[in-house]
Amino acid sequence: RPMDSEQSPPLFRPTDGSYRWNGVAYQPYKQDGSAPFKDISRQTLFLDPTLGCELRYFDMDAAGYSTLERHEHTHAVMIFRGRGQCLLGTEVRDVKEHDLITIPAWTWHQFRASGDAPMGFLCMVNTVRDRPVLPTEAELAALRAVPAVARFLDS
Ligand code: MN
């Protein structure tokens, strides 16, 4: 298949060490106060339909967090920098640089950066995927019934 120069990204995209990459769009999340996430940005590093998956990089400021959500598609995550905590189902785990986390289908998940430093993670995902769903009030109450989860959500 011939390379399509309009569609193909450059083969080399250096970083300057700022957790951004040349030619990669930086997407800070909008925050209007009602957003279910905090101080987190997204960059899609690789998106190739022939691979069927894409690799994103999420970066959170200290105390930032990703959306608490679940969906049918799975995630393969590597903590890229920093440390914090991860909610997976009703389990809360400390996570640190280079840890791997597999997020199965329909499993509640959220990442929270420690209070003192940024945390970033790589996330591999299907290119074609279902939309994430947020917990209902009842589902959130059920999650909060687990003390460790309540502490995590309030941290
Ligand atoms: Mn997700």
Side-chain angles (χ1 to χ4, degrees):
R1 187 172 68 88
M3 295 273 286
D4 182 338
S5 61
E6 298 223 316
Q7 302 252 327
S8 299
L11 299 183
F12 294 92
R13 287 175 286 172
T15 179
D16 63 3
S18 65
Y19 299 90
R20 298 204 196 177
W21 289 265
N22 283 357
V24 175
Y26 179 80
Q27 301 164 273
Y29 278 109
K30 293 189 180 70
Q31 293 189 70
D32 61 6
S34 65
F37 43 77
K38 183 172 181 285
D39 296 336
I40 182 168
S41 64
R42 182 175 66 184
Q43 297 171 82
T44 300
L45 306 179
F46 295 97
L47 199 180
D48 183 341
T50 66
L51 286 173
C53 64
E54 54 191 76
L55 184 65
R56 300 93 50 86
Y57 178 66
F58 293 85
D59 200 64
M60 295 171 284
D61 293 343
Y65 50 84
S66 63
T67 303
L68 172 58
E69 61 180 30
R70 66 177 183 169
H71 35 67
E72 183 172 25
H73 63 273
T74 62
H75 289 313
V77 170
M78 175 189 274
I79 306 301
F80 193 68
R81 69 155 163 168
R83 61 193 165 72
Q85 288 195 311
C86 171
L87 172 70
L88 195 56
T90 54
E91 190 172 356
V92 177
R93 297 289 283 264
D94 291 334
V95 293
K96 63 183 186 312
E97 198 169 294
H98 303 162
D99 285 355
L100 297 176
I101 301 109
T102 297
I103 300 172
W106 295 115
T107 304
W108 295 115
H109 56 281
Q110 186 177 51
F111 291 89
R112 287 178 175 260
S114 65
D116 57 358
M119 182 169 91
F121 61 90
L122 296 165
C123 178
M124 190 166 69
V125 71
N126 303 90
T127 301
V128 178
R129 58 186 182 271
D130 60 319
R131 292 185 67 84
V133 294
L134 306 182
T136 62
E137 294 281 329
E139 287 167 333
L140 198 55
L143 284 167
R144 281 189 170 280
V146 180
V149 176
R151 281 195 298 275
F152 170 86
L153 293 172
D154 293 335
S155 65

